[in-house]
């Protein structure tokens, strides 16, 4: 799961959503000063990552793309799944994607000054280029991979990843749906357990 997937699986709580999204790159040792719901969102993010990485659908997608994308196959699958989620958003959510995304950006801005500098930098670009909504188009997907390719210091074929996703779209989208069928009920159980 990439940014949109993590938000989609969050509960309707601003601090939880922000904690979930800022978990990448933030060491657990720096978490103690944040509100309890942000901390829970942080833990939930890592639960989602672990669950997704271990799911048979994700493993099949990764194996399918590994011959072409090598070390970056998992990253490509994460973004492919966000693409399928954005592309079919109206199937999974009663709130339109643009409304949902705009709402989250506004929520973030209320907390911006309290959040880690690295996360604020990511969010600046996310909002400026509207990453979350741009994932719904092949052009947006291509821009995301082009950006990743430039930022990655190692040799990669990320600029070709969007085309590869569409070469295997049918299989990848089936794997994505398989994951969604399992993670939605299991994530609700996790949330119920930890919220009491």
């Amino acid at each position: 799961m990439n940014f949109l997937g993590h938000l989609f699986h969050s509960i309707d709580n601003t601090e939880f959503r922000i904690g979930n999204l800022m978990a990448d790159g933030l060491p657990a040792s720096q978490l103690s000063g944040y509100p309890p719901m942000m901390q829970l969102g942080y833990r939930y993010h890592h639960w989602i990552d672990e669950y997704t990485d271990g799911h048979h659908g994700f493993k099949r997608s990764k194996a399918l793309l590994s011959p072409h994308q090598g070390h970056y196959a998992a990253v490509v699958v994460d973004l492919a799944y966000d693409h399928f989620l954005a592309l079919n958003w109206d199937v999974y959510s009663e709130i339109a994607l643009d409304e949902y995304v705009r709402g989250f950006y506004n929520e973030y801005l209320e907390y911006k000054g309290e959040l880690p500098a690295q996360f604020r930098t990511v969010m600046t670009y996310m909002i400026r280029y509207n990453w979350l909504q741009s994932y719904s188009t092949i052009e947006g997907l291509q821009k995301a991979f082009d950006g990743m390719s430039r930022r990655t210091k190692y040799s990669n074929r990320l600029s070709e990843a969007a085309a590869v996703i569409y070469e295997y779209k049918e299989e990848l989208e089936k794997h994505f749906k398989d994951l969604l069928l399992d993670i939605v009920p299991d994530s609700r159980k996790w949330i119920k357990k930890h919220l009491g």
Side-chain angles (χ1 to χ4, degrees):
M1 297 278 171
N2 203 49
F3 295 119
L4 187 62
H6 277 284
L7 283 175
F8 174 75
H9 290 291
S10 289
I11 61 172
D12 187 15
N13 178 284
T14 300
E15 291 182 350
F16 187 95
R17 278 194 281 255
I18 289 173
N20 184 352
L21 216 62
M22 75 179 185
D24 277 334
L26 180 69
S29 60
Q30 296 180 22
L31 196 61
S32 60
Y34 292 99
M37 287 300 285
M38 279 191 192
Q39 295 188 37
L40 189 62
Y42 177 99
R43 289 169 55 202
Y44 183 61
H45 177 107
H46 291 292
W47 177 84
I48 287 176
D49 282 350
E50 187 176 331
Y51 187 100
T52 301
D53 290 348
H55 191 270
H56 62 86
F58 186 88
K59 287 180 177 178
R60 287 172 185 160
S61 290
K62 186 178 172 184
L64 191 63
L65 298 186
S66 284
H68 188 276
Q69 288 296 319
H71 174 74
Y72 296 99
V75 175
V76 174
V77 174
D78 279 342
L79 205 50
Y81 283 9
D82 263 23
H83 173 63
F84 298 137
L85 177 59
L87 199 59
N88 301 288
W89 184 264
D90 58 340
V91 174
Y92 304 115
S93 176
E94 295 178 359
I95 304 170
L97 181 59
D98 61 341
E99 182 183 344
Y100 181 87
V101 166
R102 201 166 50 246
F104 172 70
Y105 291 160
N106 289 334
E107 289 176 346
Y108 158 75
L109 291 171
E110 291 179 16
Y111 284 84
K112 180 180 175 182
E114 306 167 31
L115 302 174
Q118 182 181 351
F119 180 59
R120 294 199 308 268
T121 299
V122 170
M123 287 300 303
T124 295
Y125 288 104
M126 183 184 293
I127 294 171
R128 181 180 300 164
Y129 299 109
N130 198 9
W131 290 351
L132 298 176
Q133 199 165 350
S134 74
Y135 294 154
S136 65
T137 67
I138 185 68
E139 294 81 10
L141 198 59
Q142 184 64 53
K143 283 181 182 177
F145 283 125
D146 286 344
M148 285 182 187
S149 181
R150 287 192 301 271
R151 291 190 300 271
T152 302
K153 60 183 177 180
Y154 301 108
S155 176
N156 64 79
R157 300 174 72 183
L158 288 167
S159 61
E160 303 167 24
V164 174
I165 287 169
Y166 267 75
E167 182 179 347
Y168 297 106
K169 182 178 185 290
E170 188 175 333
E171 299 100 310
L172 292 170
E173 194 160 13
K174 181 187 182 304
H175 301 160
F176 163 73
K177 289 177 180 177
D178 288 346
L179 170 63
L180 215 56
L181 279 173
D182 292 335
I183 197 172
V184 167
D186 287 347
S187 65
R188 287 176 184 153
K189 290 175 189 172
W190 189 97
I191 288 166
K192 185 176 180 181
K193 176 183 176 183
H194 290 86
L195 279 179

